[in-house]
Amino acid sequence: MQQWDEMLNRVNQDNSFMRHNGIRAVSLSTEQAVTEAEVDERSLNPYRIAHGGLYFTMMDIAAGMAARADGRRYVTLNCSTNFHKPAQAGTALRAVGRVTQRSRGVCVVEAEVRGIADQLLYASGSFCMYCIER
């Protein structure tokens, strides 16, 4: 849909934090959003594996986009994140955020990060998004 394409373009162009971390918004629908990134030098921790912040940021962006699919603006109210597996440099990752509950003021989104090639689960989380525009 054209509205989804416009939102994806806007997110990819306007979010400098995303660009700095090499994260791209790749798809959006009514109740789901997807981001992708490849683990590179920017995203490695001192142990030379993907920093948990990369996983978190990918899921947070996907959760925010999925929440905003209703046309309103949201911010992250709280979240719970689980780190399952370390990714090595060169690993292509995909985060998917799926809306599980929506009300007037809050949207709950479940998210996960998986390897694009191996489908292994690297991280998962639950995000509570607060609507700042009612």
Side-chain angles (χ1 to χ4, degrees):
M1 294 176 90
Q2 184 177 356
Q3 78 183 58
W4 305 132
D5 291 338
E6 290 172 9
M7 187 175 183
L8 284 172
N9 288 335
R10 192 170 52 252
V11 166
N12 284 321
Q13 290 173 5
D14 295 346
N15 192 324
S16 58
F17 187 72
M18 240 174 71
R19 285 195 318 274
H20 173 77
N21 288 287
I23 300 169
R24 299 167 310 286
V26 296
S27 77
L28 177 64
S29 64
T30 306
E31 300 295 317
Q32 176 178 301
V34 178
T35 61
E36 291 181 350
E38 183 171 321
V39 179
D40 63 18
E41 285 297 317
R42 292 174 290 190
S43 49
L44 296 177
N45 67 19
Y47 301 112
R48 309 298 296 159
I49 57 176
H51 191 286
L54 175 66
Y55 300 147
F56 174 83
T57 301
M58 291 177 70
M59 290 189 295
D60 188 45
I61 293 166
M65 287 173 39
R68 287 192 307 272
D70 70 357
R72 300 182 299 162
R73 298 182 324 161
Y74 291 80
V75 294
T76 305
L77 181 61
N78 64 39
C79 64
S80 172
T81 304
N82 299 298
F83 301 104
H84 302 281
K85 182 174 178 50
Q88 306 298 318
T91 304
L93 300 172
R94 176 177 292 133
V96 178
R98 292 181 181 91
V99 173
T100 59
Q101 183 179 348
R102 189 184 290 279
S103 67
R104 281 189 325 158
V106 172
C107 181
V108 178
V109 181
E110 298 297 321
E112 63 182 29
V113 175
R114 289 187 178 271
I116 293 175
D118 57 18
Q119 289 300 302
L120 292 174
L121 180 64
Y122 288 88
S124 60
S126 181
F127 291 76
C128 183
M129 309 303 289
Y130 178 73
C131 183
I132 58 173
E133 176 182 291
R134 295 193 185 193

